[in-house]
Amino acid sequence: MHSEAHINALSKKHAALDERIHHEEMRPAPDSTILHELKKEKLVLKDEIARLSTQ
């Protein structure tokens, strides 16, 4: 069950990053460096969720 709780926490962080990316993209002058870092972090979380889900 610990893994399920961890996956849920990671999923919430993933969704929060998705929201931050959306807000940054909607700005008049989105910062490409910030977007790149947020998307990179989101991908790391996605990979971790996938890894934990297959265990």
Side-chain angles (χ1 to χ4, degrees), residues 18-51:
D18 197 40
E19 188 68 24
R20 287 178 61 195
I21 290 167
H22 176 73
H23 284 294
E24 184 63 33
E25 289 175 334
M26 294 291 105
R27 287 180 23 161
D31 186 325
S32 61
T33 304
I34 291 173
L35 281 172
H36 176 74
E37 290 301 317
L38 291 173
K39 288 179 179 182
K40 185 176 172 182
E41 189 176 345
K42 184 179 166 191
L43 183 58
V44 168
L45 286 174
K46 179 183 173 189
D47 290 345
E48 181 69 8
I49 291 167
R51 185 183 69 77

Side-chain angles (χ1 to χ4, degrees), residues 1-11 48-49 51-52:
M1 285 300 176
H2 176 69
S3 291
E4 187 175 327
H6 189 60
I7 291 170
N8 287 337
L10 291 175
S11 294
E48 181 69 8
I49 291 167
R51 185 183 69 77
L52 291 172

